[in-house]
Amino acid sequence: MGPVNHQRTSTRGFSLIELVIVVVIIGIIGAIAIPRMSRGAAGASESALVGNLSVLRNALDLYATEHDGDFPTLDDIADQLTGFTDIQGNVNPDAERATPYIYGPYLRSVPPLPVGSNRGETGFAAAQGTADAGWIYDADTGHIEPNTEDETDGGGELFREY
């Protein structure tokens, strides 16, 4: 019988302390990330509001530029922004570009209000608190704001001051 070779095989695993440290780190990351992710839907709606206001304000500015400084009327704003108009702002009933209806359209459709109690509304009104209106519009100045009265975002800022 020859010499017996006793090799010692060592299996190295994680110690209990290493596992506890990993669990604590995952807990800290979760404590930071979960509140930020839960605010995600509200943050997305607020971002959508900023984007929609930008689109509407740009459309109003372009309309006024092409119509000798006049803004759309409150009664016809949706049609005037989404249809073909003449220099006076009359909308072509045939919904096509033809002389004298050579201006526009400035929007494909009016974006819905993404926040507040009037969420989803696309209509226009002259004063805050009007039911079934998403946007408050002043035809004299071209100013537009969301129809959210005193509703605020997650940081306490009034939506209508966006």
Side-chain angles (χ1 to χ4, degrees), residues 2-94:
V4 177
N5 187 1
H6 293 291
Q7 279 189 328
R8 189 166 185 218
T9 57
S10 169
T11 56
R12 171 116 167 80
F14 292 107
S15 70
L16 184 59
I17 292 176
E18 290 171 326
L19 290 175
V20 168
I21 290 172
V22 169
V23 169
V24 168
I25 291 172
I26 291 172
I28 291 170
I29 292 171
I32 292 169
I34 289 174
R36 291 182 187 260
M37 287 189 297
S38 65
R39 198 184 86 75
S45 295
E46 293 163 10
S47 294
L49 175 60
V50 170
N52 289 351
L53 281 169
S54 178
V55 166
L56 286 166
R57 288 171 179 157
N58 287 337
L60 289 168
D61 288 343
L62 185 55
Y63 181 96
T65 299
E66 291 185 341
H67 291 84
D68 295 330
D70 293 329
F71 290 101
T73 61
L74 178 61
D75 292 336
D76 296 325
I77 183 173
D79 291 336
Q80 289 171 323
L81 291 179
T82 59
F84 294 99
T85 59
D86 63 12
I87 192 68
Q88 291 82 27
N90 300 311
V91 180
N92 187 349
D94 296 331

XYZ file of all heavy atoms in Angstrom, residues 2-94:
685
model
N 0.542 2.054 -0.896
C 1.309 3.274 -0.985
C 0.769 4.354 -0.066
O -0.192 4.161 0.664
N 1.410 5.444 -0.092
C 0.956 6.544 0.755
C -0.412 7.049 0.309
O -0.735 7.120 -0.869
C 2.009 7.611 0.576
C 2.726 7.261 -0.675
C 2.546 5.809 -0.898
N -1.216 7.405 1.242
C -2.570 7.901 0.992
C -2.485 9.424 0.908
O -1.946 10.064 1.811
C -3.534 7.468 2.116
C -4.909 8.047 1.880
C -3.573 5.974 2.200
N -3.002 9.915 -0.155
C -2.985 11.368 -0.335
C -4.301 11.934 0.173
O -5.345 11.742 -0.423
C -2.803 11.684 -1.821
C -2.613 13.174 -2.070
O -2.592 13.962 -1.145
N -2.471 13.521 -3.335
N -4.215 12.586 1.281
C -5.428 13.200 1.838
C -5.464 14.661 1.444
O -4.772 15.480 2.029
C -5.433 13.097 3.366
C -5.555 11.706 3.852
N -6.684 10.981 3.721
C -4.656 10.892 4.477
C -6.520 9.792 4.253
N -5.260 9.714 4.718
N -6.247 14.978 0.394
C -6.394 16.383 0.019
C -7.602 16.943 0.736
O -8.648 16.319 0.805
C -6.631 16.504 -1.478
C -5.378 16.430 -2.290
C -5.686 16.780 -3.733
O -6.774 16.504 -4.203
N -4.732 17.365 -4.393
N -7.403 18.094 1.231
C -8.495 18.749 1.943
C -9.177 19.698 0.969
O -8.548 20.609 0.432
C -7.932 19.522 3.116
C -9.004 20.019 3.999
C -8.391 20.456 5.302
N -9.497 20.815 6.161
C -9.475 21.812 6.981
N -8.393 22.516 7.119
N -10.506 22.077 7.724
N -10.429 19.448 0.690
C -11.171 20.333 -0.205
C -11.920 21.330 0.644
O -12.580 20.971 1.614
C -12.162 19.552 -1.080
O -13.024 18.828 -0.248
C -11.426 18.634 -2.021
N -11.757 22.552 0.269
C -12.379 23.606 1.051
C -13.471 24.256 0.205
O -13.236 24.665 -0.928
C -11.320 24.636 1.428
O -11.914 25.764 1.964
N -14.657 24.347 0.728
C -15.739 25.059 0.043
C -15.974 26.339 0.822
O -16.196 26.330 2.036
C -17.024 24.219 0.011
O -17.377 23.856 1.321
C -16.844 22.996 -0.857
N -15.899 27.410 0.091
C -16.032 28.711 0.748
C -17.414 29.240 0.426
O -17.792 29.365 -0.734
C -14.951 29.637 0.195
C -15.078 31.058 0.614
C -13.881 31.487 1.464
N -13.789 32.925 1.653
C -14.514 33.585 2.530
N -15.395 32.959 3.246
N -14.351 34.871 2.693
N -18.161 29.590 1.439
C -19.492 30.160 1.260
C -19.520 31.561 1.845
O -18.502 32.114 2.238
N -20.713 32.139 1.888
C -20.866 33.460 2.479
C -21.036 33.301 3.980
O -21.763 32.435 4.448
C -22.093 34.180 1.901
C -21.927 34.534 0.456
C -22.616 33.830 -0.519
C -21.080 35.558 0.062
C -22.477 34.146 -1.854
C -20.931 35.880 -1.268
C -21.627 35.177 -2.239
N -20.420 34.190 4.702
C -20.607 34.155 6.157
C -21.920 34.840 6.483
O -22.502 35.564 5.671
C -19.439 34.851 6.860
O -19.514 36.253 6.624
N -22.382 34.629 7.665
C -23.635 35.224 8.120
C -23.539 36.748 8.111
O -24.487 37.433 7.733
C -23.977 34.706 9.524
C -25.310 35.175 10.092
C -26.448 34.736 9.179
C -25.508 34.628 11.490
N -22.409 37.283 8.463
C -22.233 38.744 8.492
C -22.337 39.310 7.075
O -22.970 40.349 6.857
C -20.887 39.103 9.137
C -20.941 38.749 10.627
C -20.566 40.582 8.955
C -19.640 38.964 11.366
N -21.748 38.642 6.093
C -21.818 39.121 4.713
C -23.258 39.119 4.210
O -23.702 40.059 3.539
C -20.949 38.244 3.809
C -19.456 38.418 4.047
C -18.621 37.395 3.319
O -19.070 36.243 3.169
O -17.507 37.759 2.897
N -23.997 38.091 4.540
C -25.404 38.032 4.121
C -26.225 39.124 4.786
O -27.091 39.740 4.152
C -25.989 36.656 4.431
C -25.461 35.506 3.569
C -26.023 34.178 4.067
C -25.819 35.721 2.116
N -25.978 39.401 6.045
C -26.709 40.457 6.762
C -26.402 41.811 6.133
O -27.306 42.640 5.934
C -26.366 40.436 8.271
C -26.873 41.695 8.956
C -26.955 39.205 8.927
N -25.150 42.048 5.782
C -24.777 43.321 5.160
C -25.493 43.495 3.819
O -26.016 44.570 3.522
C -23.245 43.416 4.998
C -22.606 43.570 6.373
C -22.858 44.574 4.084
C -21.091 43.488 6.362
N -25.551 42.447 3.027
C -26.239 42.521 1.732
C -27.723 42.822 1.933
O -28.307 43.655 1.221
C -26.041 41.217 0.928
C -26.960 41.176 -0.283
C -24.589 41.073 0.499
N -28.357 42.180 2.886
C -29.776 42.414 3.149
C -30.007 43.853 3.612
O -30.968 44.506 3.187
C -30.313 41.390 4.180
C -31.695 41.783 4.664
C -30.341 39.998 3.584
N -29.130 44.375 4.437
C -29.268 45.761 4.906
C -29.125 46.734 3.733
O -29.892 47.690 3.608
C -28.230 46.056 6.021
C -28.154 47.551 6.309
C -28.587 45.296 7.284
N -28.157 46.493 2.856
C -27.969 47.370 1.689
C -29.195 47.331 0.788
O -29.664 48.365 0.315
C -26.692 46.969 0.916
C -25.456 47.317 1.751
C -26.641 47.661 -0.449
C -24.154 46.800 1.186
N -29.749 46.161 0.542
C -30.966 46.052 -0.274
C -32.121 46.795 0.394
O -32.910 47.467 -0.268
C -31.314 44.569 -0.536
C -30.275 43.960 -1.468
C -32.715 44.429 -1.127
C -30.401 42.463 -1.654
N -32.210 46.713 1.718
C -33.248 47.437 2.450
C -33.106 48.942 2.300
O -34.094 49.665 2.124
N -31.885 49.452 2.361
C -31.654 50.889 2.214
C -32.024 51.344 0.810
O -32.689 52.368 0.623
C -30.180 51.228 2.535
C -29.913 51.032 4.037
C -29.840 52.661 2.117
C -28.451 51.103 4.424
N -31.613 50.589 -0.190
C -31.965 50.933 -1.574
C -33.483 50.925 -1.758
O -34.055 51.813 -2.385
C -31.276 49.967 -2.565
C -29.761 50.202 -2.544
C -31.833 50.138 -3.980
C -28.973 49.167 -3.310
N -34.150 49.929 -1.185
C -35.609 49.868 -1.274
C -36.272 51.052 -0.596
O -37.244 51.611 -1.103
N -35.744 51.467 0.552
C -36.326 52.596 1.284
C -36.196 53.894 0.494
O -37.041 54.783 0.599
C -35.659 52.735 2.642
N -35.153 53.997 -0.306
C -34.965 55.198 -1.122
C -35.790 55.114 -2.403
O -36.419 56.085 -2.810
C -33.466 55.374 -1.464
C -32.685 55.709 -0.183
C -33.273 56.468 -2.507
C -31.182 55.649 -0.366
N -35.800 53.955 -3.048
C -36.408 53.825 -4.374
C -37.925 53.732 -4.357
O -38.588 54.280 -5.237
C -35.830 52.603 -5.083
N -38.509 53.047 -3.405
C -39.962 52.816 -3.417
C -40.760 54.114 -3.353
O -41.682 54.296 -4.151
C -40.366 51.808 -2.314
C -39.862 50.427 -2.711
C -41.870 51.809 -2.097
C -40.057 49.357 -1.661
N -40.435 55.071 -2.465
C -41.203 56.325 -2.497
C -41.059 57.074 -3.817
O -42.008 57.676 -4.288
C -40.610 57.137 -1.351
C -40.017 56.135 -0.434
C -39.539 55.021 -1.322
N -39.903 57.022 -4.427
C -39.716 57.706 -5.712
C -40.534 57.038 -6.804
O -41.079 57.701 -7.672
C -38.244 57.727 -6.093
C -37.426 58.620 -5.201
C -35.976 58.643 -5.648
N -35.168 59.372 -4.704
C -34.771 60.618 -4.864
N -35.135 61.260 -5.935
N -34.025 61.214 -3.960
N -40.601 55.724 -6.795
C -41.368 55.016 -7.818
C -42.867 55.179 -7.592
O -43.629 55.247 -8.545
C -40.989 53.535 -7.841
C -39.619 53.299 -8.439
S -39.241 51.580 -8.731
C -39.269 50.901 -7.100
N -43.310 55.260 -6.359
C -44.737 55.407 -6.105
C -45.227 56.784 -6.516
O -46.394 56.978 -6.800
C -45.056 55.140 -4.634
O -44.462 56.120 -3.815
N -44.344 57.770 -6.554
C -44.688 59.100 -7.017
C -44.657 59.172 -8.531
O -45.039 60.155 -9.139
C -43.700 60.113 -6.439
C -44.188 61.531 -6.495
C -43.135 62.495 -5.998
N -42.211 62.915 -7.001
C -42.458 63.786 -7.970
N -43.641 64.291 -8.101
N -41.530 64.135 -8.836
N -44.265 58.103 -9.172
C -44.090 58.088 -10.617
C -45.322 58.455 -11.401
O -45.253 59.224 -12.346
N -46.485 57.947 -11.033
C -47.712 58.244 -11.778
C -48.075 59.718 -11.662
O -48.440 60.360 -12.650
C -48.852 57.372 -11.284
N -47.977 60.255 -10.452
C -48.279 61.678 -10.263
C -47.269 62.530 -11.013
O -47.622 63.514 -11.657
C -48.280 62.029 -8.779
N -46.011 62.145 -10.948
C -44.977 62.884 -11.661
C -45.188 62.836 -13.162
O -44.940 63.809 -13.867
N -45.639 61.707 -13.671
C -45.905 61.577 -15.104
C -47.058 62.483 -15.525
O -47.000 63.114 -16.584
C -46.211 60.129 -15.458
N -48.092 62.577 -14.696
C -49.228 63.453 -15.014
C -48.808 64.914 -15.018
O -49.235 65.696 -15.867
C -50.361 63.244 -14.013
O -50.876 61.941 -14.121
N -47.963 65.278 -14.063
C -47.473 66.657 -14.006
C -46.617 66.976 -15.220
O -46.721 68.052 -15.803
C -46.707 66.881 -12.701
C -47.602 66.811 -11.482
C -46.841 66.630 -10.179
O -45.593 66.743 -10.169
O -47.500 66.369 -9.153
N -45.789 66.029 -15.636
C -44.968 66.225 -16.834
C -45.842 66.321 -18.078
O -45.565 67.111 -18.983
C -43.979 65.073 -16.996
O -43.044 65.078 -15.957
N -46.895 65.513 -18.130
C -47.820 65.574 -19.259
C -48.510 66.936 -19.317
O -48.712 67.489 -20.408
C -48.861 64.456 -19.161
N -48.847 67.489 -18.165
C -49.473 68.819 -18.126
C -48.520 69.865 -18.687
O -48.923 70.700 -19.502
C -49.886 69.185 -16.697
C -50.432 70.601 -16.515
C -51.679 70.823 -17.372
C -50.737 70.867 -15.043
N -47.269 69.825 -18.274
C -46.279 70.773 -18.788
C -46.159 70.638 -20.302
O -46.152 71.636 -21.034
C -44.911 70.559 -18.099
C -43.821 71.367 -18.779
C -44.990 70.916 -16.617
N -46.106 69.402 -20.790
C -46.011 69.175 -22.228
C -47.238 69.654 -22.980
O -47.119 70.298 -24.028
N -48.425 69.357 -22.455
C -49.664 69.783 -23.115
C -49.783 71.304 -23.165
O -50.211 71.869 -24.166
C -50.882 69.182 -22.418
C -51.021 67.693 -22.657
O -50.305 67.114 -23.472
N -51.927 67.063 -21.939
N -49.405 71.961 -22.062
C -49.451 73.427 -22.045
C -48.478 74.007 -23.069
O -48.796 74.979 -23.756
C -49.137 73.968 -20.647
C -50.286 73.900 -19.655
C -49.794 74.202 -18.248
C -51.396 74.876 -20.046
N -47.320 73.407 -23.197
C -46.342 73.868 -24.174
C -46.877 73.732 -25.596
O -46.762 74.657 -26.411
C -45.038 73.090 -24.015
O -44.102 73.478 -24.979
N -47.493 72.595 -25.893
C -48.062 72.364 -27.225
C -49.176 73.375 -27.509
O -49.223 73.982 -28.590
C -48.590 70.915 -27.341
C -49.482 70.739 -28.558
C -47.425 69.935 -27.373
N -50.067 73.575 -26.544
C -51.174 74.522 -26.737
C -50.657 75.952 -26.900
O -51.128 76.692 -27.782
C -52.152 74.448 -25.562
C -53.044 73.212 -25.533
C -53.726 73.066 -24.175
C -54.075 73.277 -26.650
N -49.703 76.345 -26.078
C -49.175 77.712 -26.155
C -48.446 77.944 -27.480
O -48.584 79.030 -28.079
C -48.273 77.986 -24.958
C -49.075 78.121 -23.677
C -48.216 78.178 -22.430
N -49.067 78.333 -21.243
C -48.694 77.987 -20.022
N -47.480 77.483 -19.800
N -49.529 78.155 -19.003
N -47.703 76.963 -27.954
C -47.032 77.098 -29.249
C -48.049 77.201 -30.388
O -47.868 77.991 -31.315
C -46.086 75.924 -29.492
C -44.837 76.008 -28.644
O -44.446 77.079 -28.199
N -44.207 74.874 -28.417
N -49.102 76.399 -30.315
C -50.146 76.447 -31.350
C -50.826 77.822 -31.354
O -51.081 78.387 -32.426
C -51.170 75.344 -31.122
N -51.113 78.358 -30.175
C -51.745 79.683 -30.082
C -50.825 80.771 -30.644
O -51.282 81.674 -31.357
C -52.120 79.999 -28.634
C -53.281 79.184 -28.073
C -53.387 79.359 -26.566
C -54.584 79.574 -28.759
N -49.537 80.687 -30.310
C -48.594 81.684 -30.824
C -48.493 81.619 -32.347
O -48.470 82.652 -33.019
C -47.208 81.488 -30.197
C -47.166 81.894 -28.733
O -48.077 82.616 -28.282
O -46.208 81.480 -28.042
N -48.434 80.426 -32.902
C -48.347 80.283 -34.353
C -49.628 80.783 -35.021
O -49.568 81.468 -36.053
C -48.077 78.829 -34.731
C -47.852 78.555 -36.213
C -46.737 79.423 -36.781
C -47.541 77.083 -36.426
N -50.765 80.456 -34.428
C -52.038 80.947 -34.964
C -52.030 82.469 -35.015
O -52.362 83.079 -36.045
C -53.202 80.448 -34.105
C -54.554 80.901 -34.604
C -55.322 80.069 -35.410
C -55.066 82.156 -34.282
C -56.562 80.480 -35.887
C -56.297 82.579 -34.747
C -57.046 81.741 -35.552
O -58.262 82.157 -36.026
N -51.641 83.096 -33.889
C -51.635 84.563 -33.833
C -50.649 85.148 -34.841
O -50.931 86.179 -35.472
C -51.287 85.031 -32.421
N -49.517 84.505 -35.030
C -48.537 84.977 -36.005
C -49.116 84.973 -37.407
O -48.896 85.913 -38.189
C -47.272 84.090 -35.958
O -46.703 84.178 -34.649
C -46.246 84.516 -36.984
N -49.858 83.957 -37.756
C -50.425 83.846 -39.111
C -51.749 84.584 -39.293
O -52.244 84.682 -40.407
C -50.607 82.368 -39.468
C -49.288 81.648 -39.646
C -49.448 80.219 -40.122
O -50.555 79.647 -39.982
O -48.459 79.666 -40.616
N -52.330 85.079 -38.190
C -53.629 85.759 -38.278
C -53.535 87.197 -37.784
O -54.402 87.683 -37.032
C -54.693 84.978 -37.493
C -55.049 83.673 -38.124
N -54.327 82.525 -37.936
C -56.058 83.334 -38.976
C -54.851 81.532 -38.622
N -55.908 81.991 -39.268
N -52.479 87.869 -38.175
C -52.284 89.295 -37.866
C -52.378 89.622 -36.382
O -52.928 90.656 -35.988
C -53.284 90.157 -38.645
C -53.061 90.102 -40.147
O -51.893 89.911 -40.554
O -54.043 90.251 -40.903
N -51.904 88.733 -35.536
C -51.872 88.991 -34.095
C -53.138 88.624 -33.361
O -53.205 88.775 -32.138
N -54.151 88.160 -34.070
C -55.407 87.764 -33.427
C -55.313 86.319 -32.952
O -54.811 85.448 -33.667
C -56.584 87.896 -34.394
C -56.855 89.341 -34.760
O -56.604 90.231 -33.934
O -57.308 89.568 -35.906
N -55.835 86.066 -31.756
C -55.892 84.708 -31.223
C -57.232 84.072 -31.583
O -58.194 84.779 -31.923
C -55.723 84.728 -29.695
C -54.330 85.097 -29.266
C -54.036 86.373 -28.820
C -53.300 84.158 -29.315
C -52.754 86.721 -28.431
C -52.012 84.490 -28.926
C -51.734 85.771 -28.487
N -57.313 82.747 -31.489
C -58.615 82.096 -31.752
C -59.686 82.604 -30.786
O -59.384 83.031 -29.661
C -58.324 80.612 -31.490
C -56.848 80.468 -31.621
C -56.270 81.775 -31.174
N -60.931 82.530 -31.218
C -62.032 82.931 -30.342
C -62.321 81.805 -29.357
O -62.037 80.631 -29.630
C -63.300 83.223 -31.161
O -63.687 82.031 -31.842
C -63.055 84.353 -32.156
N -62.885 82.142 -28.214
C -63.205 81.136 -27.209
C -64.213 80.122 -27.750
O -64.078 78.917 -27.529
C -63.745 81.786 -25.934
C -64.159 80.834 -24.815
C -62.968 79.993 -24.341
C -64.750 81.601 -23.644
N -65.205 80.598 -28.492
C -66.248 79.697 -28.992
C -65.737 78.715 -30.041
O -66.263 77.605 -30.160
C -67.404 80.508 -29.587
C -68.159 81.286 -28.518
O -68.111 80.887 -27.335
O -68.794 82.303 -28.871
N -64.724 79.115 -30.821
C -64.274 78.280 -31.937
C -62.835 77.807 -31.826
O -62.267 77.316 -32.804
C -64.440 79.055 -33.255
C -65.881 79.366 -33.578
O -66.744 78.524 -33.249
O -66.143 80.439 -34.146
N -62.215 77.942 -30.665
C -60.793 77.660 -30.534
C -60.416 76.249 -30.979
O -59.430 76.058 -31.686
C -60.275 77.958 -29.107
C -58.759 77.711 -29.059
C -61.026 77.179 -28.062
C -58.107 78.135 -27.762
N -61.181 75.260 -30.596
C -60.836 73.884 -30.961
C -60.844 73.711 -32.476
O -59.907 73.133 -33.046
C -61.787 72.894 -30.307
N -61.868 74.214 -33.145
C -61.943 74.104 -34.606
C -60.858 74.938 -35.285
O -60.284 74.516 -36.287
C -63.320 74.546 -35.110
C -64.421 73.573 -34.708
O -64.105 72.392 -34.459
O -65.581 74.008 -34.637
N -60.593 76.135 -34.739
C -59.591 77.002 -35.351
C -58.171 76.438 -35.213
O -57.336 76.682 -36.068
C -59.671 78.405 -34.747
C -60.929 79.143 -35.185
C -61.135 80.438 -34.437
O -60.850 80.556 -33.243
N -61.639 81.445 -35.138
N -57.903 75.703 -34.151
C -56.571 75.121 -33.969
C -56.404 73.789 -34.692
O -55.288 73.409 -35.025
C -56.252 74.947 -32.479
C -56.044 76.225 -31.673
C -55.760 75.890 -30.224
C -54.935 77.085 -32.260
N -57.496 73.082 -34.936
C -57.384 71.756 -35.559
C -57.829 71.734 -37.020
O -57.716 70.704 -37.674
C -58.218 70.713 -34.782
O -59.588 71.117 -34.771
C -57.713 70.552 -33.360
N -58.326 72.850 -37.518
C -58.802 72.894 -38.902
C -58.038 73.887 -39.746
O -57.093 74.535 -39.292
N -58.456 74.012 -40.984
C -57.886 74.974 -41.914
C -58.707 76.261 -41.831
O -59.932 76.224 -41.872
C -57.913 74.428 -43.342
C -57.026 73.231 -43.521
C -57.555 71.955 -43.492
C -55.661 73.391 -43.708
C -56.740 70.844 -43.652
C -54.838 72.283 -43.875
C -55.372 71.014 -43.842
N -58.000 77.395 -41.712
C -58.686 78.677 -41.540
C -58.237 79.679 -42.586
O -57.179 79.549 -43.187
C -58.393 79.267 -40.146
O -56.977 79.447 -40.005
C -58.899 78.370 -39.036
N -59.075 80.714 -42.733
C -58.666 81.848 -43.556
C -58.061 82.903 -42.631
O -57.961 82.685 -41.430
C -59.843 82.385 -44.383
C -60.992 82.936 -43.539
O -60.820 83.136 -42.304
O -62.077 83.172 -44.104
N -57.679 84.033 -43.172
C -56.989 85.058 -42.388
C -57.870 85.618 -41.270
O -57.380 86.046 -40.231
C -56.451 86.191 -43.300
C -55.490 87.114 -42.542
C -57.602 86.988 -43.895
C -54.192 86.453 -42.158
N -59.200 85.586 -41.435
C -60.109 86.062 -40.394
C -60.376 85.010 -39.325
O -61.035 85.285 -38.325
C -61.452 86.518 -40.999
C -61.380 87.778 -41.836
C -60.910 87.505 -43.250
O -61.087 86.403 -43.780
N -60.295 88.497 -43.865
N -59.920 83.782 -39.528
C -60.133 82.727 -38.549
C -61.336 81.851 -38.832
O -61.672 80.985 -38.026
N -61.972 82.051 -39.977
C -63.095 81.189 -40.360
C -62.559 79.811 -40.731
O -61.566 79.697 -41.447
C -63.860 81.787 -41.543
C -64.415 83.154 -41.210
O -65.044 83.333 -40.175
N -64.150 84.119 -42.071
N -63.241 78.773 -40.252
C -62.792 77.403 -40.482
C -63.450 76.844 -41.743
O -64.653 77.013 -41.960
C -63.140 76.511 -39.260
C -62.679 75.084 -39.483
C -62.519 77.081 -37.996
N -62.658 76.148 -42.560
C -63.187 75.533 -43.771
C -64.083 74.358 -43.383
O -63.623 73.398 -42.768
C -62.046 75.044 -44.662
C -62.527 74.536 -46.010
O -63.722 74.349 -46.227
N -61.597 74.313 -46.909
N -65.355 74.403 -43.733
C -66.265 73.298 -43.378
C -65.920 71.996 -44.102
O -66.321 70.920 -43.671
C -67.643 73.825 -43.790
C -67.382 74.897 -44.783
C -66.029 75.473 -44.456
N -65.158 72.086 -45.193
C -64.774 70.884 -45.938
C -63.547 70.204 -45.338
O -63.124 69.160 -45.842
C -64.496 71.229 -47.405
C -65.748 71.738 -48.106
O -66.860 71.323 -47.703
O -65.618 72.559 -49.034
